[in-house]
Amino acid sequence: MILVTGATGTIGSRVVRLLTERGVPFRAMSRRERPGGVRADFDDPASLAHAVADVDTVFLVTVPPVPTADHDIALVTAARAAGVRKIVKLSAIGSGERFDGATVGAWHLAAEEAIEASGLMWTMLRPPSFASNVLWYRALLQAGEPIPNLAGDSLQAIVDPRDVAAVAVAAMTSDAHDGQRYDLTGPELLTFADQAAILESVLERPVKITDTIALDQLPAGMVTGIGWARAGGAAYATDHVPRALGRPAGTFEQWARDHREAFAAMP
């Protein structure tokens, strides 16, 4: 039995889909009652104990309103008590790197360290920006307004979230990925302007960008990570997706073409 946290999110929803297609038993955790799921809250130890009962493997995704490892650690505590064998954690690229006097992804790093110290088997997934992040700007694109460029002129190997989900499922259903820390990148380095140009070609309409961003209005942890990426920290591609899946990583252009209709839908 697999417990999927973050089951309605970008990666978790795809993990649920893949597990369903493969007939793998799983339990989707959320804070609301859902058919076939389990209701639990990271701030409620009793509900976590119920969620991890009779579970072998956990897919761990936390998105706290303020960056903290508390939710990850609460799940790890419940998992150890319940006899869970493995945790596959969705982390972030660059976690643990130092930038401008701060630690990139400090809360992800603290959670990773807690998982490693737990005695459980583990796999850490560290993707950069998702190709699907541009969907946040559907309303702006539909209105012909410029979309915000958080990345500046920096390069990143934007990853298809479908690849991240596929590696997560591979790690949960095989021991071949135990003890691995994967930087799950796409195959090519792109600037945000490159992404906009690709979208413009795929959508067949102008896509404008703006560099006027109020970074000081973002959470401190996010600002550190963005600053690190803008300084070139994430400007590399790895072979971790093809190594884990035995096939090439998807490109941003292919993702955009596969999701062309999503940009016409109301956000």
Side-chain angles (χ1 to χ4, degrees), residues 1-259:
M1 174 63 70
I2 291 172
L3 176 69
V4 180
T5 70
T8 59
T10 299
I11 305 302
S13 61
R14 289 168 173 79
V15 166
V16 163
R17 190 178 310 157
L18 289 173
L19 293 175
T20 301
E21 290 172 357
R22 299 181 187 191
V24 178
F26 71 92
R27 185 183 298 158
M29 175 180 139
S30 66
R31 286 182 294 177
R32 296 185 180 87
E33 293 285 355
R34 296 183 183 277
V38 58
R39 181 178 175 278
D41 191 302
F42 287 108
D43 294 316
D44 180 354
S47 71
L48 289 182
H50 173 65
V52 296
D54 302 318
V55 164
D56 174 80
T57 300
V58 173
F59 180 54
L60 180 57
V61 182
T62 60
V63 189
V66 177
T68 173
D70 290 351
H71 286 177
D72 296 76
I73 292 171
L75 194 286
V76 171
T77 300
R80 285 188 64 192
V84 169
R85 187 176 64 89
K86 182 193 300 187
I87 291 180
V88 176
K89 173 177 165 57
L90 183 64
S91 187
I93 200 167
S95 294
E97 297 289 333
R98 296 289 295 175
F99 177 77
D100 200 21
T103 300
V104 176
W107 68 279
H108 278 308
L109 179 65
E112 289 186 12
E113 290 174 343
I115 292 168
E116 290 184 54
S118 71
L120 305 180
M121 297 307 300
W122 53 265
T123 307
M124 309 301 180
L125 310 181
R126 290 178 153 194
S129 293
F130 297 144
S132 57
N133 287 357
V134 292
L135 286 173
W136 298 342
Y137 309 127
R138 277 182 295 174
L140 291 173
L141 288 167
Q142 289 168 2
E145 296 293 327
I147 58 178
N149 174 17
L150 295 177
D153 294 328
S154 66
L155 293 162
Q156 285 196 57
I158 307 300
V159 69
D160 187 329
R162 296 174 295 187
D163 286 345
V164 179
V167 175
V169 169
M172 289 188 289
T173 56
S174 168
D175 293 338
H177 309 283
D178 291 357
Q180 297 295 313
R181 184 175 278 102
Y182 289 134
D183 283 2
L184 300 178
T185 75
E188 57 190 349
L189 292 171
L190 301 172
T191 64
F192 193 73
D194 292 333
Q195 290 180 261
I198 291 169
L199 275 181
E200 188 168 274
S201 173
V202 170
L203 301 179
E204 300 179 328
R205 59 181 170 184
V207 175
K208 299 175 287 187
I209 63 176
T210 176
D211 294 319
T212 305
I213 308 296
L215 293 179
D216 58 344
Q217 296 181 9
L218 298 174
M222 184 178 292
V223 171
T224 299
I226 290 173
W228 172 79
R230 286 174 69 99
Y236 63 93
T238 73
D239 66 349
H240 295 181
V241 168
R243 201 168 82 197
L245 300 179
R247 61 162 176 79
T251 65
F252 177 76
E253 181 175 1
Q254 187 59 59
W255 177 89
R257 293 194 182 283
D258 290 346
H259 294 82

